[in-house]
Each structure stands twice: as structure tokens, then as C-alpha cells.
Amino acid sequence: MSENLHPGQPSSMASGKGPFAPTTASLGLTPTAKVDIPITAVFLLLFLLGAVAHMTIFQLNKKKGHKFIMSGLMFGFCMSRLATCSLRIAWSTHPQHIPLAIAASVFVSAGVVLLFIINIIFTQRILRATHPHFGWHRALSLAFKIYYATIVLTLFMLITCTVQSFYTQNHNTRRIDRDVQLYGGTYFAVTAFFPIPALILGYAFPRTTRVEKFGQGRFRSKIIVLLTGATLLTLGASFRAGTAIKTPRQRNNPAWYHSKACFYIFDFTIEILVIYLYAAVRVDRRFHIPNGSHGPGDYSGANNQRKDDFELEHQRPTRSEDFSSDDLMD
């Protein structure tokens, strides 16, 4: 997860108590004040602006009675990245401080999961619009809930094993920790990729009903926006998973994919692009659905129309409506 700290420096190594400095290189290497502080400060500002943008959108919509939770989630993601950047800057000024390295590594891995979940929610809404009866089926709804639960559980496992790997020198325990980390990285890469095949399969199967369009903008534009975001996140997650699977290298002999450039491009840059894309195209309008939607017909408003027609048809006339003006003239 985090790159090696220089051996022999921490007193914990001599005492036999953790945390211990890692012995292998990882993505981003150990940050240095001269290189990493200016770069990380720029990303900190960009994430701050992203947080302001999405919270502003969330509050404006809330005043209109339009609750779009994903704007709040993107605000939360940006705030987590502010913490990540702050920890990386602090780590660069104290490169031998292992607890800072642990915290920075955990935040780098954990934050992006929110974007994966947002894309899955968007995917579920599109599937329910294109195949209402299938998309709203209880079995599929349950499958999505289980999927969300496995994402959270995988994240907890990844965090636990990452922290534990700094506090043990037992080879078997470290092997298990690495296996769990590889599983977590691969699982999240698949999660990032999930919207792409799901949307393709959704369009490949013939529809039995018309598309229940929701939100603003063309339905095709929603697909393009989601595919773009999913592709970018898949690129970053796949790069992280692929480099982690490769044979570990010593900290004094890192590979090209361990470089700081790769770290900032495949982590922060991709995330900034997605956050700003979703703010620019106003996903809060494009992916908004009517409040209380729980079945076929709710997205398009057909159920509400049928309900209004039913109530109008069975509405009993008031006392003054029992007679028309012609009746009075007679």
C-alpha cells in the first residue's frame, strides 16, 4: 500500500514492536517535501473546489425539495480527499513517521469507493428505466443490496489487513494480508468496471416496454456520461490492481509504475476529472428520479397519472355541482 520508509530509522524495528517500515515499494513512493507538497497542494485546492461545487448543488436542490443524495456523497468523497492530501503533505515533512504513512495509505484506498457506489446507483436507475419489470424485480434489488454490502465489507477487510501488515513480522500473516489486499484491489477494479457491461447487456436484451425516461436531458446523454465516468475509474482501479499483482520490488529498486507521476495521474487526476465532469453535466438533474419511486411506472410518472385519473373519475360531485346552469334555467 505505502512505499518503504528507510530501514533502521524507527525505534520500533529495534524493539521488535510495530509499526514496522515496509520493505517493498508501492505506488507513489515515499513523498518528499520538494516534489510532493506543491503537487499535492494543487490537488487539495481542486478537491476543495469540487467539494464546494457539489455541496452548493446539494443545498440548492434541497431548498427546492429535490433531494439528490449523490451530490452529498461526492461532497463526502472530496472531503475525504482533502484529508488524504493533508496526510500526504504531513507525511512528506516527516517521511520516517510510520503512523502517517499508514493513515495516508488507508485514505488513498478508501475514498474512491464512494465514486464506485455512485456509478452503480446510476447504473441501477438506467436498468430500471430500460427494463422496468426486470430492474424493479425483488431478486435484482436484493442482489444490488448484497453487492453494496460486499463492497463495504471488502473495504473493511482491506483497511484491516493494510494496518495489520505494518504491525507484524510474521511471514504467514503478511502473506495473508497481501492476499486480502490483492483480492480487494481486484474486486474494486471489477466494481469500477461493472457499469460498462451492465449497460451493454441492458441494451442488448430486447425491451418489452418503452424506456421510462427520467431526469433532464437526452437518455443517450446519461449513458455517455456514466460510461465516461466508469471508464476513467476503471482505468485507475485496473492500474492499481495490476501493479499490486506484480512481484513486489525492494524500496530501493522501484519499477516505473511506482513513480509519483503514475500515482498522481491514475489516482488524483482521474478522480478530479470524474468529480468535475459530474458537476459540469449536472448529474443531479440528469439522474434525478421522482421521490418515492418503488416500481415500474414511477420514473415516467405513469403511476401518478393513473392515480390522478382514478381519483378524478371516482370523485363525487359537491352539492353545488349537482346542477348545471342549464338545469337552473329550466
Side-chain angles (χ1 to χ4, degrees), residues 30-192:
T30 300
T32 59
K34 183 177 180 180
V35 175
D36 290 85
I37 287 182
I39 298 175
T40 307
V42 171
F43 280 108
L44 190 149
L45 176 61
L46 292 174
F47 282 119
L48 176 61
L49 294 176
V52 171
H54 283 286
M55 179 49 68
T56 300
I57 292 173
F58 179 79
Q59 293 296 336
L60 290 176
N61 287 330
K62 186 178 179 181
K63 291 180 179 179
K64 300 176 183 178
H66 170 186
K67 296 181 180 179
F68 192 74
I69 303 300
M70 272 62 72
S71 292
L73 291 179
M74 283 183 273
F75 167 78
F77 167 76
C78 290
M79 294 303 294
S80 73
R81 279 297 178 250
L82 292 180
T84 305
C85 291
S86 299
L87 287 169
R88 189 163 180 85
I89 290 174
W91 184 15
S92 68
T93 59
H94 301 84
Q96 311 307 324
H97 197 283
I98 303 177
L100 277 177
I102 297 173
S105 299
V106 168
F107 270 86
V108 166
S109 301
V112 72
V113 173
L114 285 175
L115 296 184
F116 298 159
I117 292 176
I118 289 170
N119 277 358
I120 294 175
I121 293 174
F122 289 164
T123 302
Q124 188 176 17
R125 292 185 176 184
I126 289 179
L127 290 178
R128 285 174 170 175
T130 53
H131 300 277
H133 296 287
F134 172 73
W136 283 103
H137 195 279
R138 290 184 178 180
L140 186 62
S141 298
L142 178 61
F144 270 99
K145 292 177 182 178
I146 294 175
Y147 194 17
Y148 295 135
T150 60
I151 292 174
V152 175
L153 290 175
T154 299
L155 178 60
F156 285 152
M157 292 168 57
L158 190 59
I159 292 174
T160 301
C161 290
T162 298
V163 175
Q164 180 178 256
S165 66
F166 283 90
Y167 284 86
T168 182
Q169 290 182 312
N170 183 281
H171 293 293
N172 187 55
T173 302
R174 286 195 168 187
R175 179 189 60 79
I176 295 174
D177 290 339
R178 173 170 166 76
D179 289 343
V180 173
Q181 290 171 340
L182 293 179
Y183 153 75
T186 303
Y187 192 82
F188 287 148
V190 173
T191 300

Side-chain angles (χ1 to χ4, degrees), residues 5 21 75 84 101 118 131 156 176 199 206 264 273 279 286 302 322 328:
L5 307 178
F75 167 78
T84 305
I118 289 170
H131 300 277
F156 285 152
I176 295 174
L199 293 177
Y264 287 113
L273 290 175
R286 293 181 183 275
D322 289 339
L328 293 175

Side-chain angles (χ1 to χ4, degrees), residues 133-315:
H133 296 287
F134 172 73
W136 283 103
H137 195 279
R138 290 184 178 180
L140 186 62
S141 298
L142 178 61
F144 270 99
K145 292 177 182 178
I146 294 175
Y147 194 17
Y148 295 135
T150 60
I151 292 174
V152 175
L153 290 175
T154 299
L155 178 60
F156 285 152
M157 292 168 57
L158 190 59
I159 292 174
T160 301
C161 290
T162 298
V163 175
Q164 180 178 256
S165 66
F166 283 90
Y167 284 86
T168 182
Q169 290 182 312
N170 183 281
H171 293 293
N172 187 55
T173 302
R174 286 195 168 187
R175 179 189 60 79
I176 295 174
D177 290 339
R178 173 170 166 76
D179 289 343
V180 173
Q181 290 171 340
L182 293 179
Y183 153 75
T186 303
Y187 192 82
F188 287 148
V190 173
T191 300
F193 180 67
F194 172 78
I196 299 175
L199 293 177
I200 294 175
L201 290 175
Y203 262 79
F205 283 96
R207 295 190 297 271
T208 58
T209 60
R210 298 185 63 180
V211 175
E212 292 188 14
K213 296 184 178 180
F214 60 90
Q216 299 180 8
R218 300 179 61 184
F219 196 80
R220 183 179 301 175
S221 299
K222 295 178 176 60
I223 304 287
I224 295 174
V225 169
L226 180 53
L227 286 176
T228 302
T231 300
L232 287 171
L233 292 178
T234 300
L235 177 61
S238 299
F239 182 85
R240 291 189 294 273
T243 56
I245 291 174
K246 295 183 73 68
T247 302
R249 302 180 63 154
Q250 293 299 311
R251 66 172 185 84
N252 57 359
N253 184 33
W256 65 268
Y257 47 77
H258 292 131
S259 67
K260 299 178 188 295
C262 289
F263 172 79
Y264 287 113
I265 291 173
F266 289 99
D267 278 65
F268 290 173
T269 299
I270 284 179
E271 294 165 357
I272 283 291
L273 290 175
V274 174
I275 285 294
Y276 278 60
L277 169 67
Y278 285 178
V281 302
R282 295 300 299 270
V283 292
D284 61 297
R285 294 176 178 175
R286 293 181 183 275
F287 288 90
H288 174 251
I289 59 175
N291 293 333
S293 297
H294 62 276
D298 286 343
Y299 282 4
S300 62
N303 289 344
N304 291 334
Q305 183 62 44
R306 286 193 292 268
K307 182 179 179 181
D308 293 341
D309 293 343
F310 178 83
E311 292 177 351
L312 182 63
E313 181 180 351
H314 292 79
Q315 182 180 12

